[in-house]
Amino acid sequence: DVKVTQSSRYLVKRTGEKVFLECVQDMDHENMFWYRQDPGLGLRLIYFSYDVKMKEKGDIPEGYSVSREKKERFSLILESASTNQTSMYLCASSLGGVNSGNTIYFGEGSWLTVV
Amino acid sequence: GDSVTQMEGPVTLSEEAFLTINCTYTATGYPSLFWYVQYPGEGLQLLLKATKADDKGSNKGFEATYRKETTSFHLEKGSVQVSDSAVYFCALSDMIAAGNKLTFGGGTRVLVKP
């Protein structure tokens, strides 16, 4: 089975702190994604990457950056955390495009609270 | 841009009741359509999908038909169980850069009572 592992399930950080959310997948997938999930808004794409060292902005990239130094690992960085970044963050990966029949696999999520 | 609208929850049902969750979409191209399910404390799992008009996706007793004329992809199950309690997300795919991304609806929480 494909496994997408997010290193932290629950985090509490202070306003202004730098926050790293780590994600690792074990199936040699090309594409990796970071979404945030908020009640009533569903999932919104922050950033995605379709290759090592490649990244593209999603719908809500402001206040975030990402890093993909190795194929299996995709990190989300909050340079200076703010309270409006309190949310559930979901990492996902896929072998190729979903329109080509590939499935996107999600991690269990990281609950981030910024106080 | 593309968007997905689904009925707000929570939807509360008794076991063995019929479930419908409405989903409509707007898209510029010809997207693929998906339903994802999120059980308590877990990530999202693909429930079913349809890639072209009139296709029917089905899994675990759930069904949804891709209706291009009404731009809809409603999810149905004839007899729900307590274990179907979860949040359900409708989504469409969109071509971006070298791959695809998913655009999600707001999610519908379903609670099935024994």
Side-chain angles (χ1 to χ4, degrees):
Chain A
D1 278 353
V2 174
K3 195 160 180 64
V4 179
T5 303
Q6 295 182 229
S7 56
S8 303
R9 289 300 306 274
Y10 302 96
L11 306 93
V12 180
K13 298 291 182 181
R14 295 190 182 279
T15 299
E17 272 194 81
K18 190 168 186 176
V19 181
F20 293 87
L21 298 179
E22 306 287 346
C23 175
V24 176
Q25 49 92 5
D26 65 356
M27 283 301 291
D28 204 34
H29 282 176
E30 306 291 335
N31 302 327
M32 296 190 76
F33 308 83
W34 274 107
Y35 286 87
R36 65 176 280 176
Q37 180 182 354
D38 299 288
L41 298 177
L43 278 74
R44 293 177 290 167
L45 183 65
I46 305 171
Y47 268 96
F48 69 99
S49 168
Y50 52 87
D51 202 353
V52 175
K53 297 192 186 294
M54 303 299 288
K55 60 184 179 184
E56 294 283 342
K57 292 180 179 179
D59 299 318
I60 52 164
E62 296 78 20
Y64 303 95
S65 62
V66 290
S67 172
R68 193 161 181 205
E69 296 296 318
K70 293 185 178 181
K71 193 174 186 180
E72 67 271 19
R73 186 180 297 271
F74 192 37
S75 303
L76 179 69
I77 304 155
L78 286 68
E79 295 289 342
S80 177
S82 63
T83 54
N84 63 12
Q85 292 179 309
T86 292
S87 187
M88 159 85 107
Y89 290 87
L90 286 164
C91 177
S93 73
S94 70
L95 181 61
V98 294
N99 280 358
S100 303
N102 294 287
T103 298
I104 290 182
Y105 296 88
F106 285 83
E108 293 184 335
S110 298
W111 284 98
L112 172 65
T113 301
V114 182
V115 297
Chain B
D2 295 352
S3 66
V4 176
T5 302
Q6 60 182 105
M7 58 191 290
E8 289 189 27
V11 175
T12 304
L13 304 165
S14 297
E15 213 164 17
E16 299 183 2
F18 185 88
L19 171 67
T20 299
I21 304 176
N22 290 338
C23 170
T24 57
Y25 68 91
T26 58
T28 52
Y30 297 93
S32 296
L33 301 175
F34 306 82
W35 277 100
Y36 278 81
V37 58
Q38 186 178 36
Y39 298 105
E42 298 183 13
L44 273 71
Q45 302 172 25
L46 177 64
L47 180 59
L48 54 83
K49 67 180 180 183
T51 57
K52 60 184 187 297
D54 299 326
D55 266 4
K56 178 185 281 188
S58 61
N59 187 25
K60 299 182 180 180
F62 290 89
E63 291 184 341
T65 301
Y66 190 144
R67 300 286 189 202
K68 190 167 182 293
E69 64 277 13
T70 55
T71 62
S72 64
F73 193 53
H74 305 321
L75 183 68
E76 297 181 338
K77 185 173 185 182
S79 177
V80 294
Q81 305 300 314
V82 171
S83 58
D84 293 324
S85 298
V87 181
Y88 293 83
F89 293 92
C90 185
L92 63 81
S93 67
D94 188 15
M95 287 292 296
I96 46 167
N100 303 137
K101 72 164 185 172
L102 291 175
T103 298
F104 287 86
T108 302
R109 183 175 299 277
V110 173
L111 177 61
V112 181
K113 296 186 174 180

